[in-house]
């Protein structure tokens, strides 16, 4: 039985009052993930195929409705392919940022979102959000009342027949002017309440060993100063206004949990939700001191405050700016569609099974602002509003989507190169590995074959080997510089970082650790017999961690190829489990290598020696001739550099890392491992130097990870197929009044929340089935029937909570009957 993971990276756009619509979508995503976890928690596969959604899988405050249908869908597909659904990346801005915060916390600690429904429906109202001192009294601006009602027959209220909306719009327009009408402290209070009422869960919807990352965009109104290196002058000052808050969750295989989503982190999460949604002009800017005041008023603590400020505002501290006094406005002002953070987070993520990676973005209002023709230029206010609000919020995503398309194209090209060279490389490996690889092997035998293959590569690669080694040397020098920066706690991109890089280069030249023309001859049999290697070889053996990472990534990618090979060969689930186990072991080795790139890895003595050596940063005068400064430093402090680099080499001990992989492969169980698996894994391992020479100049292990493509899916009202052409996609009420519409009517909020759930359930069922592959679930699943049942179940579950939507629910029920679904009542 093939096992597969559907990995979702979510991007939530801004939308102001359309946050209610996105809440409905978030709720469905959570229900799908919860159903997936419940299904795969059943260890016995025979029992899994006949099981129903277990009642104990629900949280005490959770309402179960579509969970059972998702469970059934995954169970039926599981007769051909066992598909597990996981959300591991979320990025959000503005209203999308609020939903990202709440969904991430629910996923991290298996918490319900049900109690947030009433908070959105009852509290996300203009009457609740208006500042008390700003709210209009009966006599405020009475002169406007005739104008407002008269405007109802012209443009302002012409399309607003609802009395509630007209009344609250009148209240809003007669309230405080020239200051934000909405109450920032009240918004902070609502966000804190929302985070806290979710509770404190004991479990998680993330599998062991996997991490969840949340990225929330903010806009710092004043910004902070940073220095940028250019040629002349060597340093210039720039002001940065875009800011990203980063939260994470991970449960290690040992059971240790590192989480930024606990109740102790509630104030930080609430601040993120408040800050990212502080729409300019409507809400006052968000400030950390505002959250402090709220907590003091309510008698609450913020245990992780110092950690939050140190982790998420490091650049502020380096710039000498106090983040506690900074004023943050809506994250969508400069960064409404945070694809980049999601994409960066996706790369290099571990996956212990075959993966279908999806980037799913939620776009509640994909309609672009009207374009003005040359004959009808925008007026003064239209141009001002467009420049300050509309155009930044509708920034194009073509660049990000084109990057993903380019990434997928590089993946396909790399796979083609690897597969084209496979027959020849397999033959070369077979010529070196003279013993039967299907028999038990020793660590020493594998190590000797590995060295023999390296010699063969040097002999057969010709001129390509010269540039290959130079690239490896450059990477190793950069790795040493990076480790020194970590040990010294110096920021990358700074003048000090540039100086360290130049110093390492100068030191290697001073010590003769260079590779020149014909140097590969120095590795011939005569030199090998003397057991003496040139300095550059020793340097690579000590610091070429990137090569070992690429090799492990290649082995992991090979496991993905093995899934298909085992499937085609008709091998059973036991073989697939062996492939899974090997893949997990390879990731464990890869994680051990990545641990070197953390400051905590090094002993305090090493860090102290590095800090002492680089205690004096280069001056602005030094920056004018940074290479000369580096040469002088390398000469003056040569012995101290020798000692520091030697200490670092001993601590990372790459020879041990290589030995561990040799031991892992030698330890493959010959009694249970299929010969196909053993041959494929050993061929990939021993033959990797050949592939590396071919591909090192065109790819990076960090960029391509498992060499898997990223597919893009969207959830928006435009993508809905359920209601048919005669009824249209079902308009969202929150798009009215410049996206503030749902703040003026509970009926509007109920409409958008319900449509959010319906739109999401349809798209999620489609995404799940697409990931399984039509050839997999054909004959097992009636997709349209599942959709109709899911719609009916949502309507039945929500009817009692949505008193203002009875007419809409009745209409939707009639449509279901027309489509063949019996009335759920």
């Amino acid at each position: 039985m093939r096992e597969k993971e559907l990995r979702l990276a979510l991007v939530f756009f801004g939308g102001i009052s359309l946050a209610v619509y996105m809440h409905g979508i978030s709720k469905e995503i959570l229900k799908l993930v919860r159903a997936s976890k419940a299904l795969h928690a059943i260890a016995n596969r025979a029992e899994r195929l006949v099981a129903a959604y277990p009642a104990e899988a629900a949280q005490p405050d959770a309402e179960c409705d579509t969970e059972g249908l998702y469970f059934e869908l995954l169970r039926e597909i599981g007769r051909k392919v066992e598909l597990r659904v996981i959300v591991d990346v979320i990025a959000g801005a503005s209203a999308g940022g609020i939903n990202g915060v709440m969904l991430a916390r629910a996923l991290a600690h298996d918490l319900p979102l049900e109690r947030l429904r009433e908070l959105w429906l009852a509290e996300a109202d203009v009457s609740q959000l208006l500042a008390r001192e700003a709210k209009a009294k009966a006599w405020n601006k009475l002169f406007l009342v005739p104008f407002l009602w008269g405007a109802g027959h012209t443009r302002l209220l012409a399309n607003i027949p609802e009395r509630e909306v007209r009344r609250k719009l009148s209240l809003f327009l007669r309230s405080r002017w020239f200051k934000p009408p909405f109450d920032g402290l009240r918004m902070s209070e609502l966000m804190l309440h929302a985070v806290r009422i979710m509770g404190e869960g004991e479990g998680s919807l993330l599998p062991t060993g996997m991490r969840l990352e949340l990225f929330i965009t903010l806009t710092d109104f004043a910004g902070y100063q940073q220095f940028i290196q250019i040629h002349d002058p060597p340093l210039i000052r720039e002001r940065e206004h875009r800011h990203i808050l980063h939260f994470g969750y991970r449960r290690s295989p040992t059971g240790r949990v590192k989480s930024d989503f606990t109740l102790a982190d509630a104030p930080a999460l609430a601040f993120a939700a408040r800050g990212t949604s502080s729409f300019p002009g409507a809400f006052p800017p968000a400030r950390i001191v505002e959250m402090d005041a709220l907590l003091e008023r309510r008698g609450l603590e913020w245990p992780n405050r110092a950690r939050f400020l140190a982790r998420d505002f490091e650049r502020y501290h380096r710039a000498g700016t106090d983040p506690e006094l900074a004023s943050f406005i809506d994250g969508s002002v400069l960064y409404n569609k945070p694809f980049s953070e999601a994409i960066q987070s996706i790369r290099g993520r571990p996956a212990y099974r075959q993966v279908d990676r999806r980037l799913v973005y939620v776009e509640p209002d994909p309609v672009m602002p009207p374009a003005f023709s040359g004959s009808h230029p925008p007026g003064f206010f239209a141009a001002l509003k467009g420049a300050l609000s509309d155009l930044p919020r509708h920034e194009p995503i073509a660049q990000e989507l084109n990057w993903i398309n380019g990434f997928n194209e590089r993946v396909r090209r790399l796979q083609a190169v690897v597969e084209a060279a496979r027959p020849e490389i397999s033959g070369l490996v077979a010529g070196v590995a003279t013993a039967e690889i299907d028999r038990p092997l020793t660590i020493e035998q594998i190590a000797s074959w590995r060295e023999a293959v390296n010699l063969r590569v040097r002999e057969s690669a010709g001129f390509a080997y010269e540039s290959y080694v130079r690239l490896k040397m450059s990477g190793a020098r950069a790795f040493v510089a990076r480790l020194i920066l970590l040990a010294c706690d110096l920021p990358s991109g700074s003048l000090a970082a540039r100086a360290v890089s130049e110093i390492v280069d100068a030191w290697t030249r001073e010590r003769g650790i260079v590779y020149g023309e014909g140097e590969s001859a120095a590795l011939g049999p005569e030199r090998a017999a003397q057991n003496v290697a040139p300095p550059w070889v020793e340097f690579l053996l000590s610091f070429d961690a990137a090569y070992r990472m690429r090799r492990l990534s290649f082995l992991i990618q090979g496991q993905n190829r093995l899934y298909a090979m085992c499937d085609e060969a008709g091998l059973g689930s036991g073989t697939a489990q062996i492939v899974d186990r090997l893949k997990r072991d390879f990731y464990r080795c890869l994680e051990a290598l990545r641990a070197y790139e953390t400051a905590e890895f090094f002993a305090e003595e090493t860090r102290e020696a590095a800090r002492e050596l680089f205690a004096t940063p280069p001056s602005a005068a030094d920056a004018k001739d940074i290479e000369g400064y580096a040469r002088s430093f390398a000469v003056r402090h040569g012995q101290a550099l020798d000692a520091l680099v030697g200490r670092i080499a001993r601590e990372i001990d790459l020879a041990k890392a290589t030995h561990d992989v040799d031991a892992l492969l030698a330890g493959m169980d010959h009694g249970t491992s299929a010969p196909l698996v053993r041959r494929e894994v050993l061929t990939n391992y021993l033959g990797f130097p050949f592939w590396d020479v071919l591909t090192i100049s065109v790819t990076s292990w960090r960029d391509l990870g498992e060499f898997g493509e990223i597919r893009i899916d969207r959830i928006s009202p435009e993508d809905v197929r359920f209601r048919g052409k005669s009824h249209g996609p079902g308009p969202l009420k929150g798009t009215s009044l410049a996206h503030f519409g749902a703040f003026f009517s509970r009926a509007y909020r109920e409409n958008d929340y319900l449509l959010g759930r319906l739109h999401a359930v349809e798209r999620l069922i489609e995404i799940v089935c697409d990931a399984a592959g039509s050839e997999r679930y054909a004959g097992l699943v009636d997709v349209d029937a599942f959709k109709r049942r899911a719609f009916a179940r949502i309507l039945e579950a929500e009817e009692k909570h949505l008193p203002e939507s009875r007419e809409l629910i009745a209409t939707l029920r009639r449509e279901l009957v027309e489509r063949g679904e019996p009335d759920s009542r």
Side-chain angles (χ1 to χ4, degrees), residues 77-95:
I77 289 174
R79 299 180 186 279
K80 294 286 185 68
V81 54
E82 293 190 344
L83 188 69
R84 179 159 190 177
V85 184
I86 298 164
V87 174
D88 59 353
V89 181
I90 301 176
S94 192

Side-chain angles (χ1 to χ4, degrees), residues 695-715:
T695 62
I696 189 174
S697 62
V698 296
T699 188
S700 164
W701 67 273
R702 286 184 183 273
D703 287 342
L704 298 185
E706 296 197 17
F707 308 165
E709 296 185 34
I710 301 172
R711 299 179 182 180
I712 307 169
D713 295 288
R714 183 177 74 167
I715 300 177

Side-chain angles (χ1 to χ4, degrees), residues 679-706:
R679 282 195 298 270
E680 180 74 8
V681 171
L682 287 170
T683 298
N684 289 340
Y685 183 60
L686 297 175
F688 175 71
F690 290 105
W691 276 298
D692 201 37
V693 171
L694 290 173
T695 62
I696 189 174
S697 62
V698 296
T699 188
S700 164
W701 67 273
R702 286 184 183 273
D703 287 342
L704 298 185
E706 296 197 17

